[in-house]
Amino acid sequence: MKKSHPLPLTCLLVDDNPDDRALATRALQLEFPGIQVEFVTDMGGFMRRIKAGNLELVITDYHLRWTDGLNILRLIKAALPQCPVVMFTGTGSEEVAVEAMQAGLDDYVLKTPRHYALLPTRVRSILDRAEQRQLLHKAENALRESESRLRAIIDTEPECVKIIGPDHRLQFMNASGLAMIEADSSEQVLGKKLETLLLPEYRQAFKDLTGNVLAGNKGSLEFEIIGLQGHRRWLETHAVPLVSEIDGSTSLLSITRDITERKLAESGRAQLAAIINSAIDFIGVCGQDGTVSFVNQAGRNMLGIALDEDLSTTHMQAYLPVWAEERVIGHGIPTAIREGMWRGESALLCRNGQEIPVSVVIVAHKLPDGSVDFFSTIMRDISERKLHEAQLLHLATHDSLTGLPNRALYTDRLEVAILEAQRRERLVAAMYLNLDRFKTINETLSHEVGNTLLQEVAKRLQENVRDDDTLARPGGDEFALIFTDLAQLDDVNDCTQKVLHSFKAPFHIKEHELFLTASIGIAVYPHDDLTPGGLLKNAAIALNRSKDMGGDAYQFYTAEMNAKALQHLILDNALHHALERGELQLYYQPQLDLVTGQVCGMEALLRWQHPELGMISPAEFIPLAEKTGLIVPIGEWVLRTACTQNHAWQMAGRPALPIAVNLSGRQFAQHNLAQTITRILAQTGLAPDLLELEITESTLIQDIQTSINMLHELNALGIAISIDDFGTGYSSLSYLKRFPISAIKIDQSFVRDIHTDPNDAAIVSAIIAMARSLGMKTIAEGVETNEQMVFLRSRQCDLMQGYYFSRPVPAEVITQMLNEDWCLSFVVNS
């Protein structure tokens, strides 16, 4: 394979004969297709061309009219020494050939037709040799340059670089090393052993190091020398073996640095450390990045850190409580950088979690360019002083009898609560509470009993407010409360009723059993006012209204709020008696099979018929029952009533249809739920497979493992389980596949627009397909139109319920339906 040559190749052809030029050019172009051949036919043209340069090859005739080939050769080599030259000659004279070779000729070719064919081969060989010479020349230059740079680097290296031979004698030392041992020239030390410069106590260690490295190992040593001019220095050397590639012998190559200043500093630091460690205050040092480098003994004792523990990987942040980080790191450090020093107060965080209040001085130590080198700090324990200050502050801001915040602190906290509520768009309730008939008790039973009673009231109220709320005693028999982070007015009602409820139990003071009631006035931010003063004024007005009502009540400042609170209270009180008074009823809504059109089950739904308020929506009283805990006895009544009614239908010869009952979150959380249901089934005579329990997603997801265990316990009884309102909660297959679920109820919010909203249609279709793949039935709630029913049937939904067939109705209407065998006959026939 021919070796390619970089193109274009520029060749200068010096020949007077045009025929010879043509023959040479043709021969070259056959071998080098891209060659550029230039011609000169006189000395002027020749000189201009070689002056221009950029020639890779010159071919010249020996005989020329205006000169000869030897002259051309000499001029070329003088101007372009790297350019190859080939000579044509017809003389065959050996003397000419020898002279040409001595002048630098690369090759020659006889000027005969037969030898023209040899020209390309000779040229390629010449070009290859020229290229190799150039590469070799470059390599030699690079090597010389590398050696020069290496020597320059070594000579300018600020540390001592030396080589000790196999005979332990010095072979090389750079300028820095000579200066280090105080030698005027290398001749003073080359060929000598260096251990004579070392202090006697380090000489053997130096010999051992040298022998160990010459044996092929690495090593290092610190030692002290006396230089040739008598000065003492501490040096640190790091040595490695250096193996010769020529004879395989091993020498020692080492880097040695002067550590005299470090040794002096270490000595000074040792003295300084002894002084610092005798101090009674915390003294610490950290780097510019906050990395701790030193803490004295008093500081370690203060923090509970062992004296020998390495702290170099810790950060100052580790020794500060979270609240103190912003003060020290966010404010103190920047101030010290800006002004040189910062004084302030902070706290240290001990290993046992205890916080120690400290006074702090931080100093920023800077380099000549103004940048920070490190920080030092002195901290003094001020726990005793802070304790006295806290006691004084508590006396100034708290009621001495109950220990509660006084009026001043209460007002401050109300202002803070308003600012936070404004930022988070929440509500704040400011309340005044006055004890009814306290004056009579205080005057009748003595002030001592009255004071004790106030203390017990404070304790009981404290138990009924959240940690983030505030309970205060402005004075006398009056208390004040702040309820924060409220989302809606119903939350205010709940908090207030909880406070009032705390007075239901009597107070036992010495031998007295005392019953108390309270009057409460409430003002709500931002509805009643935007300022602390305005809210408190309005709360006082509301308190007076409450007192005018005879006590044991609460009043909102705003009439609308009073009306809602009154309605809430009326419902709460009425619900406590609804069950015993027989005001609760069960309605039933049929469920239809979308294939047969037959009634295949029903859902029991709770209704409340109040004698004065009429029919009350479940949306109003169910959440109230959940909050008060009444949902548990009510839910048990629903289960018992539904099972009793279903069994009665069967005893009357009606078809055995399953009945679905909703379970609330509180019911599902009862540990004895399975036992309760088992007892109800036994008492009513209903078969377990005719009872289906509906549980919402949000209830199941509260505690996955507990839910799984409970569902399996219920399922083992033969009871079917369905998920209610599916799609409105988590709807995650990760839990759905783990629950023993028999049916999924598609929420009516998706069914409502199923035939007009593509998103709802897609969601419902996906739920049905998913349930089918998991072996579960699907029940569509809230079906009200033929279009909805047709869509669900086309997607193979199993069951439906809704106004399209029947509203929830009393038991007697269901009895009539079953007697008349109601169905969707047109669904069957379609």
Side-chain angles (χ1 to χ4, degrees):
M1 181 180 290
K2 295 181 180 179
K3 181 180 178 182
S4 62
H5 193 276
L7 296 178
L9 177 65
T10 304
C11 173
L12 179 63
L13 187 57
V14 184
D15 198 321
D16 293 335
N17 189 324
D19 294 333
D20 291 342
R21 290 201 303 266
L23 288 172
T25 299
R26 187 178 302 110
L28 290 170
Q29 288 177 338
L30 289 174
E31 181 70 18
F32 305 98
I35 191 169
Q36 297 179 4
V37 181
E38 302 178 12
F39 311 109
V40 292
T41 57
D42 57 61
M43 183 57 74
F46 173 73
M47 294 305 295
R48 287 191 297 272
R49 184 61 189 85
I50 63 173
K51 184 177 181 181
N54 193 27
L55 289 173
E56 282 79 39
L57 177 66
V58 175
I59 301 174
T60 180
D61 190 5
Y62 178 76
H63 294 288
L64 299 168
R65 295 192 308 273
W66 38 279
T67 184
D68 60 49
L70 285 175
N71 190 33
I72 293 294
L73 173 63
R74 294 187 184 100
L75 291 173
I76 288 291
K77 291 299 181 179
L80 303 170
Q82 301 302 321
C83 181
V85 179
V86 179
M87 184 180 293
F88 277 129
T89 176
T91 63
S93 170
E94 292 185 3
E95 292 80 4
V96 172
V98 170
E99 186 176 1
M101 289 299 180
Q102 291 175 346
L105 184 67
D106 293 275
D107 205 345
Y108 70 92
V109 178
L110 293 178
K111 200 171 187 181
T112 64
R114 184 172 63 86
H115 287 88
Y116 272 117
L118 299 175
L119 180 60
T121 303
R122 297 288 182 86
V123 168
R124 180 169 297 282
S125 176
I126 292 168
L127 290 175
D128 290 344
R129 290 200 303 273
E131 184 178 2
Q132 292 173 3
R133 285 198 302 273
Q134 289 176 1
L135 292 174
L136 180 60
H137 181 67
K138 288 180 181 179
E140 291 173 346
N141 288 341
L143 180 59
R144 283 193 293 271
E145 183 178 359
S146 175
E147 290 176 347
S148 176
R149 288 179 179 176
L150 181 59
R151 183 168 292 277
I153 291 171
I154 293 175
D155 284 341
T156 57
E157 168 62 42
E159 297 175 350
C160 169
V161 179
K162 66 179 180 290
I163 298 176
I164 294 177
D167 58 356
H168 291 221
R169 297 183 182 275
L170 183 67
Q171 291 182 344
F172 170 80
M173 180 177 284
N174 68 345
S176 296
L178 295 174
M180 199 175 287
I181 64 173
E182 300 175 344
D184 296 326
S185 66
S186 59
E187 286 74 14
Q188 285 184 270
V189 290
L190 290 180
K192 297 181 180 179
K193 295 184 176 181
L194 293 180
E195 55 259 29
T196 57
L197 297 175
L198 276 68
L199 267 65
E201 57 264 36
Y202 299 107
R203 289 176 184 172
Q204 185 57 48
F206 187 83
K207 290 180 181 178
D208 294 343
L209 170 69
T210 304
N212 194 32
V213 174
L214 291 176
N217 303 304
K218 299 179 181 178
S220 61
L221 181 68
E222 290 184 3
F223 52 88
E224 193 175 4
I225 68 166
I226 300 178
L228 295 179
Q229 297 180 20
H231 296 95
R232 294 172 66 135
R233 279 189 175 87
W234 273 96
L235 303 179
E236 178 186 63
T237 189
H238 295 269
V240 296
L242 183 65
V243 180
S244 171
E245 295 184 358
I246 298 175
D247 58 9
S249 62
T250 301
S251 300
L252 178 149
L253 171 64
S254 71
I255 304 293
T256 303
R257 61 174 61 90
D258 189 333
I259 59 170
T260 304
E261 290 187 7
R262 192 189 83 191
K263 283 292 187 179
L264 293 174
E266 288 175 355
S267 176
R269 281 200 297 272
Q271 296 174 353
L272 181 60
I275 296 172
I276 291 175
N277 280 325
S278 66
I280 61 173
D281 293 329
F282 178 107
I283 300 176
V285 178
C286 68
Q288 188 271 341
D289 62 349
T291 302
V292 175
S293 57
F294 173 79
V295 174
N296 70 338
Q297 291 182 10
R300 288 172 178 264
N301 292 337
M302 199 179 295
L303 295 169
I305 297 175
L307 298 181
D308 58 350
E309 183 175 339
D310 181 17
L311 304 180
S312 61
T313 60
T314 64
H315 192 276
M316 69 166 69
Q317 190 173 353
Y319 307 105
L320 298 172
V322 174
W323 65 266
E325 291 179 16
E326 175 58 28
R327 181 165 179 79
V328 174
I329 299 176
H331 175 68
I333 295 295
T335 302
I337 293 173
R338 186 174 60 254
E339 301 177 7
M341 183 178 67
W342 174 74
R343 296 177 183 271
E345 291 186 358
S346 181
L348 284 171
L349 182 64
C350 301
R351 283 284 172 84
N352 62 7
Q354 178 188 357
E355 292 185 14
I356 300 176
V358 291
S359 63
V360 185
V361 176
I362 297 177
V363 178
H365 302 266
K366 299 183 178 181
L367 297 170
D369 63 359
S371 62
V372 174
D373 186 14
F374 64 93
F375 298 97
S376 65
T377 181
I378 299 176
M379 302 185 188
R380 176 162 294 176
D381 187 339
I382 56 173
S383 299
E384 188 173 346
R385 192 190 87 194
K386 283 294 182 182
L387 178 61
H388 292 318
E389 290 178 356
Q391 291 172 345
L392 292 173
L393 180 62
H394 189 272
L395 289 174
T397 58
H398 287 75
D399 170 47
S400 59
L401 178 64
T402 63
L404 296 176
N406 60 15
R407 186 182 300 276
L409 181 56
Y410 175 83
T411 304
D412 288 343
R413 290 189 180 177
L414 180 56
E415 185 173 0
V416 172
I418 289 174
L419 291 174
E420 181 67 13
Q422 183 180 21
R423 184 179 68 84
R424 299 182 59 198
E425 298 183 352
R426 307 287 277 183
L427 303 181
V428 174
M431 300 183 185
Y432 276 139
L433 181 149
N434 191 259
L435 301 178
D436 303 326
R437 300 186 307 105
F438 175 78
K439 183 177 180 182
T440 302
I441 295 173
N442 196 42
E443 293 176 349
T444 304
L445 300 179
S446 78
H447 294 294
E448 182 183 357
V449 171
N451 287 341
T452 304
L453 178 59
L454 289 174
Q455 291 172 335
E456 291 302 314
V457 169
K459 291 179 183 178
R460 191 174 291 184
L461 289 174
Q462 195 73 59
E463 293 171 356
N464 287 276
V465 299
R466 301 168 301 177
D467 292 340
D468 294 336
D469 297 329
T470 296
L471 171 65
R473 180 179 176 239
D477 62 346
E478 188 173 81
F479 292 85
L481 300 98
I482 303 171
F483 288 99
T484 62
D485 195 26
L486 303 173
Q488 54 192 358
L489 295 177
D490 281 348
D491 295 338
V492 182
N493 280 323
D494 294 341
C495 293
T496 308
Q497 291 186 35
K498 189 175 183 182
V499 169
L500 275 181
H501 186 73
S502 67
F503 288 92
K504 298 298 182 184
F507 292 88
H508 296 278
I509 310 297
K510 294 185 177 179
E511 71 277 9
H512 304 290
E513 184 179 52
L514 304 175
F515 289 87
L516 270 182
T517 57
S519 300
I520 299 176
I522 310 166
V524 178
Y525 167 89
H527 300 290
D528 299 330
D529 205 284
L530 302 178
T531 64
L535 285 176
L536 294 178
K537 182 187 72 172
N538 294 337
I541 294 172
L543 176 62
N544 290 332
R545 291 178 188 167
S546 182
K547 288 180 178 179
D548 293 341
M549 295 176 63
D552 194 19
Y554 63 92
Q555 284 284 301
F556 284 95
Y557 173 72
T558 306
E560 290 79 8
M561 292 187 190
N562 273 330
K564 187 167 185 177
L566 180 60
Q567 178 69 15
H568 194 283
L569 184 59
I570 290 173
L571 284 179
D572 185 17
N573 291 332
L575 189 58
H576 279 78
H577 305 289
L579 190 58
E580 63 188 61
R581 292 173 180 171
E583 296 172 4
L584 298 180
Q585 304 174 18
L586 278 190
Y587 276 39
Y588 302 88
Q589 188 171 33
Q591 297 174 340
L592 282 83
D593 189 309
L594 279 173
V595 175
T596 66
Q598 299 291 326
V599 174
C600 58
M602 61 197 72
E603 180 180 2
L605 299 167
L606 182 62
R607 296 293 184 264
W608 181 12
Q609 181 69 46
H610 191 276
E612 298 173 0
L613 301 176
M615 186 68 77
I616 300 173
S617 169
E620 289 188 63
F621 73 84
I622 293 296
L624 187 60
E626 284 275 8
K627 287 182 180 179
T628 60
L630 289 172
I631 195 68
V632 175
I634 291 175
E636 187 171 337
W637 177 85
V638 170
L639 269 169
R640 188 182 307 278
T641 304
C643 291
T644 300
Q645 180 61 66
N646 197 14
H647 185 259
W649 281 324
Q650 293 178 53
M651 292 298 98
R654 307 292 177 263
L657 301 176
I659 190 164
V661 178
N662 289 280
L663 277 187
S664 71
R666 283 211 179 194
Q667 285 178 279
F668 190 69
Q670 290 183 291
H671 67 278
N672 62 340
L673 176 62
Q675 292 86 341
T676 299
I677 295 176
T678 301
R679 185 178 67 254
I680 290 174
L681 290 172
Q683 292 171 350
T684 61
L686 185 69
D689 61 349
L690 294 180
L691 175 63
E692 181 174 302
L693 299 178
E694 295 187 0
I695 308 170
T696 63
E697 288 183 277
S698 56
T699 296
L700 294 175
I701 208 70
Q702 293 298 319
D703 186 338
I704 296 293
Q705 191 54 51
T706 301
S707 295
I708 291 173
N709 295 339
M710 178 59 74
L711 291 178
H712 278 290
E713 190 174 356
L714 294 173
N715 190 252
L717 297 176
I719 298 170
I721 309 293
S722 64
I723 296 183
D724 197 13
D725 301 336
F726 187 81
T728 61
Y730 296 86
S731 305
S732 172
L733 285 174
S734 65
Y735 75 79
L736 191 61
K737 67 181 182 181
R738 299 169 62 190
F739 292 156
I741 302 298
S742 59
I744 291 175
K745 298 195 74 174
I746 304 171
D747 188 70
Q748 60 183 339
S749 62
F750 299 119
V751 175
R752 185 179 302 114
D753 299 320
I754 197 172
H755 56 290
T756 58
D757 188 331
N759 292 327
D760 285 346
I763 291 172
V764 171
S765 298
I767 292 174
I768 294 171
M770 177 196 67
R772 187 171 297 276
S773 67
L774 294 174
M776 302 176 186
K777 294 189 299 182
T778 49
I779 307 171
E781 296 181 298
V783 180
E784 299 180 354
T785 67
N786 183 61
E787 290 85 353
Q788 294 168 350
M789 185 270 297
V790 171
F791 178 91
L792 292 166
R793 186 167 179 268
S794 69
R795 296 303 189 277
Q796 296 184 322
C797 180
D798 298 298
L799 310 177
M800 77 165 196
Q801 67 183 82
Y803 285 11
Y804 182 65
F805 180 74
S806 173
R807 296 170 178 269
V809 293
E812 54 268 22
V813 178
I814 294 294
T815 301
Q816 182 182 354
M817 287 184 183
L818 297 176
N819 288 338
E820 298 176 2
D821 196 19
W822 285 18
C823 67
L824 291 175
S825 59
F826 52 90
V827 174
V828 178
N829 297 328
S830 62

